């Protein structure tokens, strides 16, 4: 029997039989195979058959291979079959230094992005912990004098009655009470709330019941709902506390519920420890004074814009009844209102972190371009031997993704550690910090950034290499081919991107640094060093009138002043940076009364000495300024500048309202920024606390100037208060330096964080400059050696080497300045007394960066110019 030909060869011949270009057809091959099989045997016939088949198919296979090579590389989803993972691992192992640098660079970029995004996720993205939080809105009012005011109780009732877009509204206001008889006396921060607050927020108590409307009626049994924190800390998490009576100040109240862990009204400034119903009388509910922070719940399907129009309609009817108020109402989603002050700065910081990632990717791509230069001949050989472009692109892409994966894991770990550092350093005013945690959104963001970095790192060098021709890379001039103009342009473009991003960050950091420097230079008008501030709240039931409160604070001041280490002590209704007591006054001028507004304070005579406020004209207050003596006051220089009208301020008279007594100015202190460095400079009026009929403000604040460490005085002062009244204690104990630092903490945090990002960006960019110049030196070694051997001056060689890199750096700086000018308006809310396009800052930052770029490019250029030309020629 005649042997059959090989199946694969027979199939191939049948495919070729119908082609005109096939010199060998299936019929002829089969006839010859049968003849040879009968004469030569089966094995030799099969060998002949294979040879004839391959020779016939070779031209067609070669043409098909050439067509495949000329095609564009397939989509990334089709590249995986062309990846040799062993080769990728070998490529990483052969360059451990480069691998380490790339992984660290990516880890820094991805880590910075992950850390900032985790904070943004907790503060800006996560939903509020309430039922259907998208329907909860914050409501506030404004007047010509103040852009943001709490809502008047009378307005709240009108909104509840007439606003059809709101399902319900609730109000609350901060308060303080002293917890008695359940352990040591402790002053607690709490909230007075309307009975329906928890229904509006959709968060019932974890134990017990919510408030009822009857709890708010005057004369009803006094009840309280505790927070989870105070329930656990003071009552040992005992469920039996519900229904038990406790004492707040001197009043017995019944605990009716305990809130879930972490509950708080999101617009409150402090975590409340208790909630009591707003048992206002009819007069208080009809008041048009701004007393209540307000939240509302929109009806199903109502948008905030529709609700705003509805409230405007109600406010128009209120204005008709009270035409002189000039009050407007505003509404915003609660989630947005909570972060209104911090949102711009967080977005700026996230943009800075994104620029760090961009710089890292550009730097990695630039490093891989240098690394791929050494593999250009290898790529050329593989291409000549028939390797497809898809195989080469896939291999480089696999290398980039592998590096990015390692850097991504390291960056995620670094980002989580950095996030914890950010949370610990962030100011306490940053909302929702406790909700920062690792979740799916953060992992997805880190994965996307890692994938993008890997794609950039792998595709840029691969596509650049494949643009070159194969023949020059295989010849003796392979080295010159690797240093082609195209490759240098790619590296220069990447360098320009790095420098531009670094310039944007450096200019932002420079603006914030200048703003912070100007802020630190602001004179408050009083001293904060070694001044201890505290609050002592006196229960009205035991200290019913101003005379009783004055006697307590006078006795306390005398005992505190006698303590060792105390320089002076004073008391007042409020201390600087801790609130105020504003009001209208009428200044008696030459042409009649002048209406104005001033900050009014009731202080002891030692107040000015304790706070370091020297009297510039006239005299200070004395103990002789008591009830029965002529009413007197000390005013600030701003008061004099605004209302003295060129007269001697000593002896000027004013009064609080037409029915009150005239007050005579007896002294002047300098300009005072009572509300801190950001506060407006307002006229200040200081009444004598001993003239109780004139002051009308409850005394509660004590200031102590220490000779040494103020912290050593806290416990002795606490003992003094306990000796005067065992049921009282001091609270809000902080130095004025600490209060001042807290007031600028957010701006300082933003400035330092952006400064750190800028320094990282500049470092990475300058590494890129150094790398570009070093690459140029390596590729032009022969040329440099020839120039030096022919007598070229070293300075000319240095200039030749530096010229290209500095040109790209200058272009990047120009682009960065333009981009910074376009984006500078985003920093407006973060700046103080600094224009977002401040010329001095821009000039200084660009000059410093240019000097750094020159140094980074000069070092390798000088090393190249100082080399031995003969050695360079031999090694070229």
């Amino acid at each position: 029997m005649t042997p059959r030909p090989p199946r694969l060869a027979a199939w191939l011949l049948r495919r070729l039989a119908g082609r005109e270009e096939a010199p060998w057809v299936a019929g002829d091959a089969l006839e010859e195979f049968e003849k040879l099989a009968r004469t030569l045997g089966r094995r030799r016939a099969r060998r002949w058959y294979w040879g004839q088949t391959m020779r016939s198919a070779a031209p067609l296979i070669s043409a098909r291979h050439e067509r495949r090579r000329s095609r564009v590389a397939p989509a990334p989803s089709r590249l995986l079959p062309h990846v040799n993972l062993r080769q990728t691992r070998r490529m990483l192992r052969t360059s451990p230094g480069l691998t380490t640098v790339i992984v660290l660079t990516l880890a820094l970029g991805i880590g910075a992005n992950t850390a900032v995004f985790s904070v943004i996720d907790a503060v800006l993205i996560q939903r509020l912990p309430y039922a259907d939080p998208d329907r909860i809105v914050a409501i506030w009012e404004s007047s010509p004098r103040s852009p943001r005011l709490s809502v008047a109780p009378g307005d709240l009732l009108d909104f509840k009655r007439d606003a059809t877009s709101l399902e319900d509204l609730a109000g609350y206001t901060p308060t303080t009470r002293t917890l008695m008889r359940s352990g040591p006396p402790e002053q607690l921060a709490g909230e007075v709330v309307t009975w329906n607050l928890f229904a509006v927020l959709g968060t019932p108590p974890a134990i017990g019941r919510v408030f009822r409307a009857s709890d708010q009626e005057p004369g009803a049994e006094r009840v309280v709902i505790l927070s989870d924190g105070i329930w656990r800390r003071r009552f040992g998490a005992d469920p039996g506390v519900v229904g038990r009576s406790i004492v707040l100040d001197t009043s017995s109240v019944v605990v009716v519920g305990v809130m879930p862990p972490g509950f708080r009204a999101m617009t409150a400034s402090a975590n409340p420890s208790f909630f009591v119903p707003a048992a206002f009388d009819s007069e208080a509910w009809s008041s048009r004074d701004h007393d209540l922070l307000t939240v509302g719940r929109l009806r199903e399907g109502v948008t905030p814009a529709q609700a705003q129009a509805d409230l405007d309609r109600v406010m128009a009817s209120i204005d008709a009844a009270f035409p002189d108020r000039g009050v407007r109402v505003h509404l915003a989603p609660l989630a947005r209102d909570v972060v209104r002050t911090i949102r711009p700065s967080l977005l700026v910081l996230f943009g800075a972190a994104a620029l760090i990632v961009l710089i890292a990717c550009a730097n990695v791509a630039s490093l891989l371009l240098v690394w791929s230069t050494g593999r250009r001949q290898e790529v050329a050989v593989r291409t000549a031997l028939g390797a497809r472009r898809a195989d080469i692109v896939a291999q480089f892409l696999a290398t980039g993704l592998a590096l990015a994966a390692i850097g991504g894991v390291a960056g995620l770990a670094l980002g989580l550690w950095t996030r914890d550092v950010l949370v610990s350093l962030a100011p306490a005013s940053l909302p929702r910090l406790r909700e920062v945690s690792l979740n799916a959104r953060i992992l997805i963001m880190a994965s996307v950034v890692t994938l993008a970095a890997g794609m950039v790192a792998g595709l840029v060098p691969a596509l650049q290499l494949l643009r070159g021709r194969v023949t020059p890379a295989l010849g003796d001039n392979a080295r010159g081919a690797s240093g082609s103009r195209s490759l240098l342009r790619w590296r220069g473009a990447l360098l320009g991107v790095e420098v531009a991003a670094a310039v944007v960050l450096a200019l932002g950091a420079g603006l914030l640094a200048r703003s912070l420097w100007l802020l630190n230079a602001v004179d408050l008008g009083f001293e904060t060093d070694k001044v201890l501030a505290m609050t002592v709240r006196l229960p009205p039931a035991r200290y019913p009138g101003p005379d009783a409160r004055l006697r307590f604070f006078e006795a306390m001041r005398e005992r505190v002043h006698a303590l060792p280490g105390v320089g002076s002590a004073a008391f007042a209704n409020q201390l600087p940076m801790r609130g105020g007591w504003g009001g209208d006054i009428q200044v008696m001028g030459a042409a009649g009364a002048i209406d104005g507004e001033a900050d009014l304070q009731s202080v002891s005579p030692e107040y000015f000495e304790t706070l370091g406020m020297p009297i510039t004209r006239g005299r200070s207050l004395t103990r002789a300024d008591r009830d029965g003596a002529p009413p007197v006051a000390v005013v600030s220089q701003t008061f004099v500048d605004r209302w003295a009208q060129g007269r001697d301020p000593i002896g000027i008279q004013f009064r609080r309202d037409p029915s009150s007594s005239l007050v005579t100015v007896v002294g002047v202190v300098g300009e005072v920024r009572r509300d801190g460095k950001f506060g407006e400079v307002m006229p200040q009026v200081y009444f004598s606390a001993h003239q109780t009929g004139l002051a009308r403000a409850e005394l509660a604040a004590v200031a102590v100037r220490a000779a040494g460490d103020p912290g050593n005085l806290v416990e002795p002062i606490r003992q003094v208060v306990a000796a005067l009244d065992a049921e009282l204690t001091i609270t809000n104990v902080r130095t004025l330096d600490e209060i001042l630092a807290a007031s600028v903490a957010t701006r300082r945090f933003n400035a330092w964080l952006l400064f750190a990002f800028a320094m990282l960006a500049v470092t990475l960019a300058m590494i890129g400059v150094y790398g570009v110049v070093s690459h140029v030196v390596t590729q032009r070694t022969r040329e440099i050696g020839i120039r030096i051997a022919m007598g070229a001056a070293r300075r000319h060689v240095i200039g030749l080497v530096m010229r290209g890199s500095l040109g790209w750096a200058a272009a990047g700086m120009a682009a960065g300045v333009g981009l910074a000018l376009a984006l500078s308006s985003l920093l407006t809310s973060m700046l103080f007394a600094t224009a977002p396009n401040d010329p001095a800052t821009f000039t200084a930052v660009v000059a410093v960066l240019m000097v750094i770029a020159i140094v980074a490019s000069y070092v390798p250029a000088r090393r190249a110019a100082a080399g031995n030309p003969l050695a360079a020629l031999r090694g070229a």
Side-chain angles (χ1 to χ4, degrees), residues 362-606:
N363 217 335
V364 169
S366 182
L367 290 171
L368 286 178
L369 273 177
V370 176
W371 171 73
S372 64
T373 301
R375 303 193 63 217
R376 191 176 186 87
Q377 193 166 12
E378 174 193 341
V379 171
V381 171
R382 292 180 61 191
T383 304
L385 292 177
R388 297 186 303 172
R389 291 176 179 265
D391 298 334
I392 298 172
V393 172
Q395 199 62 58
F396 274 90
L397 187 59
T399 303
L401 290 174
L403 289 169
I406 300 172
V409 172
L412 182 62
L414 178 63
L416 295 178
W417 176 81
T418 307
R419 177 202 66 186
D420 295 337
V421 174
L422 289 181
V423 171
S424 64
L425 297 179
S429 59
L430 192 66
R432 309 183 68 185
L433 273 183
R434 293 174 300 173
E435 300 172 30
V436 175
S437 61
L438 180 65
N439 55 42
R441 285 186 298 272
I442 296 173
L443 294 177
I444 291 173
M445 186 280 305
S447 301
V448 170
V449 173
T450 300
L451 180 62
M455 296 285 287
V456 172
L459 289 177
V460 169
L463 296 178
Q464 172 59 24
L465 280 180
L466 291 175
R467 290 182 60 187
R469 291 180 298 170
V470 173
T471 303
L474 292 174
D476 294 335
N477 60 341
R479 183 169 215 162
S482 66
S484 65
R485 293 178 181 272
S486 176
L487 183 60
L488 293 177
R489 282 197 299 269
W490 269 87
R491 289 216 64 193
L494 291 172
L495 172 63
V497 171
E498 290 184 60
V499 172
V503 167
V504 172
L505 289 179
L507 287 173
L511 290 171
L512 290 183
R514 177 174 174 79
S515 175
L516 195 60
W517 180 75
L518 293 174
L519 184 64
N520 290 333
V522 172
D523 183 15
L524 294 172
F526 56 89
E527 297 178 3
T528 60
D529 184 41
K530 296 185 178 181
V531 178
L532 191 65
M534 64 200 73
T535 302
V536 182
R537 296 288 180 185
L538 303 182
R542 297 208 311 275
Y543 300 87
D547 292 331
R549 290 192 287 270
L550 177 62
R551 286 192 297 270
F552 174 87
F553 281 103
E554 187 61 35
M556 176 184 172
R557 191 207 66 80
E558 291 179 358
R559 296 192 184 191
V560 169
H561 182 72
L563 292 174
V566 173
S568 62
F571 54 88
N573 62 310
Q574 287 285 3
L575 294 177
M577 301 181 292
R578 281 195 162 178
W581 173 37
D584 296 327
I585 60 172
Q586 289 183 333
V587 181
M588 302 298 108
I594 305 172
D595 293 331
E597 184 180 8
D599 283 335
L600 311 176
Q601 306 300 324
S602 176
V603 303
S604 67
E606 301 80 13

Side-chain angles (χ1 to χ4, degrees), residues 47-59:
R47 188 181 304 122
W48 172 88
Y49 193 90
W50 268 110
Q52 289 295 98
T53 302
M54 290 300 102
R55 280 191 293 273
S56 178

Side-chain angles (χ1 to χ4, degrees), residues 507-840:
L507 287 173
L511 290 171
L512 290 183
R514 177 174 174 79
S515 175
L516 195 60
W517 180 75
L518 293 174
L519 184 64
N520 290 333
V522 172
D523 183 15
L524 294 172
F526 56 89
E527 297 178 3
T528 60
D529 184 41
K530 296 185 178 181
V531 178
L532 191 65
M534 64 200 73
T535 302
V536 182
R537 296 288 180 185
L538 303 182
R542 297 208 311 275
Y543 300 87
D547 292 331
R549 290 192 287 270
L550 177 62
R551 286 192 297 270
F552 174 87
F553 281 103
E554 187 61 35
M556 176 184 172
R557 191 207 66 80
E558 291 179 358
R559 296 192 184 191
V560 169
H561 182 72
L563 292 174
V566 173
S568 62
F571 54 88
N573 62 310
Q574 287 285 3
L575 294 177
M577 301 181 292
R578 281 195 162 178
W581 173 37
D584 296 327
I585 60 172
Q586 289 183 333
V587 181
M588 302 298 108
I594 305 172
D595 293 331
E597 184 180 8
D599 283 335
L600 311 176
Q601 306 300 324
S602 176
V603 303
S604 67
E606 301 80 13
Y607 182 87
F608 305 104
E609 175 190 0
T610 303
L611 294 183
M613 300 169 59
I615 302 296
T616 58
R617 302 187 66 174
R619 67 173 178 85
S620 180
L621 300 173
T622 67
R623 283 184 172 74
D625 300 318
R626 294 182 171 273
D627 287 335
V632 296
V634 172
V635 299
S636 67
Q637 185 62 42
T638 308
F639 181 103
V640 176
D641 296 339
R642 188 169 297 183
W643 294 311
Q645 298 178 328
R647 296 176 293 164
D648 184 356
I650 306 303
I652 290 179
Q653 293 185 317
F654 67 92
R655 58 189 173 193
R656 295 191 56 199
D657 54 66
S659 62
S660 63
S661 304
L662 287 173
V663 181
T664 303
V665 175
V666 296
V668 179
V669 297
E671 187 178 82
V672 177
R673 292 181 179 268
R674 179 176 180 80
D675 293 331
K677 296 192 175 186
F678 299 110
E680 181 183 358
V681 178
M682 290 286 293
Q684 304 290 318
V685 175
Y686 301 95
F687 298 116
S688 172
H690 292 82
Q691 292 185 326
T692 56
L694 178 66
R696 306 181 190 176
E698 290 190 6
L699 301 173
V702 176
V704 180
R705 175 170 291 279
D709 183 7
N712 296 332
L713 298 175
V714 175
E715 189 56 33
I717 295 174
R718 199 183 304 276
Q719 294 174 2
V720 167
V721 174
L724 292 171
D725 190 330
E727 296 185 345
L728 296 180
T729 186
I730 59 175
T731 58
N732 299 330
V733 183
R734 300 177 74 186
T735 64
L736 291 187
D737 274 339
E738 292 172 340
I739 299 173
L740 178 62
S743 69
V744 299
T746 299
R747 291 179 184 257
R748 182 174 286 115
F749 174 75
N750 294 336
W752 279 109
L753 192 56
L754 193 58
F755 180 78
F757 284 167
M759 291 301 99
L760 177 60
V762 170
T763 301
L764 292 176
M766 293 310 111
I767 290 175
V769 173
Y770 183 91
V772 166
V773 178
S774 298
H775 177 58
V776 170
V777 168
T778 302
Q779 302 306 319
R780 302 179 70 175
T781 301
R782 179 189 293 270
E783 176 191 349
I784 293 172
I786 293 174
R787 287 179 179 273
I788 295 176
M790 295 296 292
R794 296 188 185 276
R795 68 176 183 275
H796 293 157
V797 174
I798 293 174
L800 175 68
V801 174
M802 293 176 60
R803 191 176 301 123
S805 62
L806 290 182
W808 283 107
M813 287 187 185
V817 169
L819 185 60
L821 287 172
L823 299 177
S824 59
S825 59
L826 299 177
L827 293 176
T828 302
S829 62
M830 303 169 63
L831 299 177
F832 175 81
T834 304
N837 57 352
D838 181 57

Side-chain angles (χ1 to χ4, degrees), residues 223-248:
V223 294
V224 64
I225 293 178
L226 300 177
S227 71
D228 180 80
I230 196 67
W231 174 60
R232 295 181 184 278
R233 181 165 57 84
R234 290 298 298 262
F235 299 97
D238 179 14
V241 73
V242 176
R244 187 189 307 169
S245 294
I246 63 174
V247 178
L248 293 178

